[in-house]
Every structure is written in structure tokens, then in C-alpha cells.
Amino acid sequence: MPSALPDGEPVPLDGSLPDVALAELPDSPLSIYLHVPFCSTRCGYCDFNTYTSNELQGTGTADYLTAAHAEIDLARRVLGDGTPSASTVFFGGGTPTLLSGAELGGLLAHVREAFGLQPDAEVTTEANPETVTPQLLDELLAAGFTRISLGMQSATPRVLQVLERRHTPGRALEVARMAHRAGFGDVSLDLIYGTPGESLADWRTSLEAALSVEPEHISAYALIVEDGTRLAHQVRRGQVPMTDDDDLADKYLLAEQVLTEAGLEAYEVSNWSRGPEHRAQHNMAYWKGHTWWGIGPGAHSHAAGVRWWNVKHPRAYAAALAEGRSPGAGRELVDPADRRIERVMLELRLADGLPWSVLTDSELRRVPDLVERGLAVITHDNLVLTLQGRLLADAVIRDLLD
């Protein structure tokens, strides 16, 4: 089932933000995320806030679209005139491409009308390979989409079977070629490593297959077996073996080797791009702590230290907006000390590193030990993780922080 939301404090019925947060908005780039919660089937490893048609009980795409458009208007009212136009727009899910090109384009047009788009705005949609057609790609390009992110996961049939992915191993590659032919200059492939039963040779096969279509971007994430998923039940019952940390480390190092040799560079712990111009700017906005408004059931938002999240179910989400109130389920106000800690946790994962000025005196005194252990290096202004440090990023950050 979809993951639980935190509690937090109540969100005002009109969605309004504190004056102290509004005062920061003009100085922070804006990103918009649109969560499309629909999937044809639920993959066994997935705990995202998604729903199949059997789970929606009469709430469908028409209700979702009406509500999403209403939340775009709500966001515009709350953020006001001082907010910059959007630098990035990202459609995630779920499976956004279960909506038609016209429906996706209509949402993007509304975002453009409400907020404006920067001249070089990055506009991305995630897509499951089996939902993409040449006509859809043409419609997305015409609507203003600049980037497509394909859920490939693996090129090995048995790995896809364990993950309960429905597409064939070659379908994502076919769609990537199709997207390039259509005119997309930014095609990203998402891969997962560490699936139970996946060998190192299987993982190499997936990496080399992804590179064969010359994508501009590749994300490679270690599989996390989330409680409550079908895969977690299978692991608990001993039906599939759990992957250990040494195996995950070997596969991460292989990804770094294969992708780097092919001309991609790691710019974040789990992301590689063909040069800085192909970095996922929407994800960079998250890692840099910019302003983002998440539209859709269960979507999360952040503005100047205020974090909030919407109700999860599409029916409750649509009902709230139909009644003219915020769909927010809860929010939290992050104090300056915690915002600093979050900045350390997020920016240290970036290849550009973390500015010295963010660290406290006691944290600075811990840096020489990290350097001596080969986990970090010192640049003129930043602390940067080495490859070994990226492998142990969570532990390094834990050791560094007060």
C-alpha cells in the first residue's frame, strides 16, 4: 500500500504561508511538481502513492484533472506576485503518460499561464515505456516538454519479473530511440540495482544496454525493500533473497566505472549526466532547497522552511479542492538550525560539494579525519565526497554533523 504521511500541524484552509516564508520567495527559484497517481498495475517493489483503476472506486482522471487545475490556481494565489516564474516543471507518478498528450499539455499550459516559465525552463515527464507512442511524443514536444525520463529499471527479463515490471527488456530502449528521433534532446533512463537474484553480470548488461541508446542522463538507484510491499512479503517469507551491502557496493562501483568510461559524469550520488547541461535541474532544486509546489494527491511542497503535504487519496484530494480549501494534510515549520542540517545532508551528495561557510567550527574540525580516511577532498570553497565517500555518504554525513 502507499507509504504513510507524517502528522505535522494543520494546514490553513486557504493554504496560506507565514509572512516570514513569503518574504523569502522572491529570492528562491520556483519548481512545480505534478503528481499523477494512476498506474495500470502496481509493481511489487513500489510503495509510491499510486492507484490502479480497481482501487479508485469511481474517482478517475476527469476528477483528478479538475482538482489539479484547481490546485494550480490555489498555488498561484498563495505564492503571490513576488515569486519568480518556474525554472522546472516535473510530471511524476504513478504513470503520467496514462494521461493523454492533450491532458498533460493542458496542465503545463495552466502552469505557464499561472506562473510563467523561465526561457530555459526544464519540463520533464516520467513515462513507463509501454505507454509511449510516437504520437504522444510529438504532442509532448508541441506542448513544451523538453525532457523525458523512462522507467527502464533493468534489461534482464528475470530481474524485471522479480520487480513485476510489465514491459519487455528492450521496450525502454526502443522508446529512448523514438524520443530522440522525435526531437527530445534530453532523454533519461532510470535503473535499479540490487534486485534479489540479480548478478553482477545482470547489472552490467543493464548498464551497457542503457548506454547503447546514448541517453543524456542515467539514474541508478539501489533497491530499497519497503515495508508493506509485495516484495517485502516475499523477502520475509524467504521466497527471494535479500541483497547485502557488499553486493550493492560492487554494483555501485561498476556503475561508476561503466558510465564514466562512456562519457557520463556523476553529479550526485545516484545520477550521471552527459555534461552539466544535462543534469536534472528539477532534482537539483530539491537538493538545493529551492521553492517547489507539489500538485496532486500525496504531493509534498516546500517554501522557505515551510514543508507541507497533500492528502493521499485522489477522492479526498478532489473533494477538498471542490470545496475551495487546501488539500494539505499537514505541515511543519523547519527552524534555521534544522534547515542548515538539511543543507549539509543534501548538498554534500552533489559533485560540486558543500560550501565551507555552511559548516560549524566543530564540524570543520572533523573534516581532516574525513580527508585522511579518503572519504572527502578539499577544494577552494567546498567539501567534496570522493568515490569512497559517495559509497558511504550517509555515514560520512552522520560523522560530520554535530
Side-chain angles (χ1 to χ4, degrees):
M1 294 302 292
S3 55
L5 294 172
D7 293 327
E9 64 179 37
V11 175
L13 293 180
D14 62 359
S16 58
L17 295 171
D19 289 342
V20 65
L22 292 173
E24 284 191 39
L25 294 182
D27 299 321
S28 177
L30 172 66
S31 291
I32 302 293
Y33 172 76
L34 294 102
H35 182 70
V36 182
F38 309 117
C39 279
S40 299
T41 59
R42 188 186 305 283
C43 300
Y45 66 94
C46 180
D47 80 330
F48 294 162
N49 188 43
T50 64
Y51 301 84
T52 64
S53 58
N54 291 336
E55 297 169 324
L56 289 174
Q57 300 177 354
T59 302
T61 57
D63 299 303
Y64 164 79
L65 288 166
T66 298
H69 281 287
E71 193 179 1
I72 293 171
D73 289 332
L74 172 68
R76 179 66 181 85
R77 290 195 300 272
V78 170
L79 296 179
D81 295 331
T83 306
S85 54
S87 300
T88 71
V89 183
F90 193 101
F91 289 72
T95 308
T97 45
L98 285 178
L99 298 179
S100 70
E103 290 166 338
L104 291 168
L107 288 167
L108 177 57
H110 195 170
V111 169
R112 184 185 293 110
E113 176 189 347
F115 300 102
L117 295 180
Q118 295 286 335
D120 59 347
E122 175 192 89
V123 181
T124 305
T125 185
E126 292 181 336
N128 278 358
E130 65 271 25
T131 64
V132 179
T133 64
Q135 178 182 345
L136 176 62
L137 292 170
D138 290 342
E139 291 171 347
L140 293 174
L141 282 168
F145 285 79
T146 65
R147 186 172 180 273
I148 189 165
S149 179
L150 299 168
M152 176 177 169
Q153 318 312 355
S154 176
T156 306
R158 61 178 175 150
V159 173
L160 291 174
Q161 183 177 9
V162 172
L163 294 174
E164 298 185 43
R165 298 290 293 184
R166 303 303 182 191
H167 60 81
T168 60
R171 178 60 182 169
L173 306 178
E174 179 185 353
V175 173
R177 294 188 191 97
M178 191 189 305
H180 277 145
R181 287 196 301 269
F184 275 94
D186 266 307
V187 175
S188 179
L189 294 173
D190 282 359
L191 300 175
I192 290 176
Y193 61 92
T195 299
E198 179 190 54
S199 68
L200 199 61
D202 290 334
W203 178 231
R204 179 183 286 275
T205 295
S206 294
L207 291 167
E208 292 176 348
L211 288 170
S212 72
V213 296
E214 301 184 346
E216 286 72 26
H217 187 280
I218 289 179
S219 298
Y221 300 107
L223 177 67
I224 298 175
V225 180
E226 301 285 1
D227 289 341
T229 62
R230 285 196 299 274
L231 183 57
H233 290 305
Q234 291 171 333
V235 170
R236 189 161 50 248
R237 290 194 295 261
Q239 294 174 301
V240 295
M242 187 60 205
T243 305
D244 62 35
D245 289 343
D246 289 339
D247 180 76
L248 293 176
D250 289 343
K251 287 172 180 170
Y252 184 84
L253 291 173
L254 181 61
E256 171 68 8
Q257 174 194 334
V258 171
L259 297 178
T260 300
E261 289 176 354
L264 279 75
E265 59 183 17
Y267 68 95
E268 192 270 344
V269 169
S270 300
N271 290 272
W272 289 257
S273 69
R274 205 171 293 281
E277 67 274 20
H278 294 296
R279 294 178 178 182
Q281 295 304 314
H282 188 82
N283 287 344
M284 291 291 290
Y286 293 152
W287 297 320
K288 291 284 191 178
H290 295 168
T291 302
W292 71 87
W293 190 297
I295 290 162
H300 287 234
S301 303
H302 169 265
V306 183
R307 210 166 20 224
W308 69 98
W309 45 93
N310 287 344
V311 293
K312 285 174 33 177
H313 199 280
R315 186 169 57 253
Y317 170 76
L321 287 155
E323 294 169 5
R325 54 186 173 86
S326 166
R331 78 176 187 184
E332 59 182 353
L333 308 180
V334 186
D335 63 35
D338 285 339
R339 290 178 72 182
R340 188 196 70 84
I341 290 173
E342 288 186 358
R343 185 175 179 189
V344 173
M345 294 172 65
L346 293 172
E347 290 190 32
L348 200 54
R349 296 175 61 88
L350 298 174
D352 295 337
L354 177 75
W356 287 111
S357 58
V358 179
L359 299 174
T360 65
D361 289 343
S362 59
E363 289 164 356
L364 287 169
R365 288 194 291 271
R366 298 184 184 113
V367 168
D369 177 64
L370 297 177
V371 173
E372 184 177 345
R373 291 158 57 194
L375 301 174
V377 294
I378 300 170
T379 68
H380 294 296
D381 300 307
N382 289 8
L383 179 67
V384 179
L385 295 183
T386 63
L387 176 57
Q388 185 66 21
R390 282 156 46 196
L391 270 173
L392 303 170
D394 291 343
V396 171
I397 292 167
R398 188 169 55 247
D399 290 347
L400 178 65
L401 287 170
D402 286 333

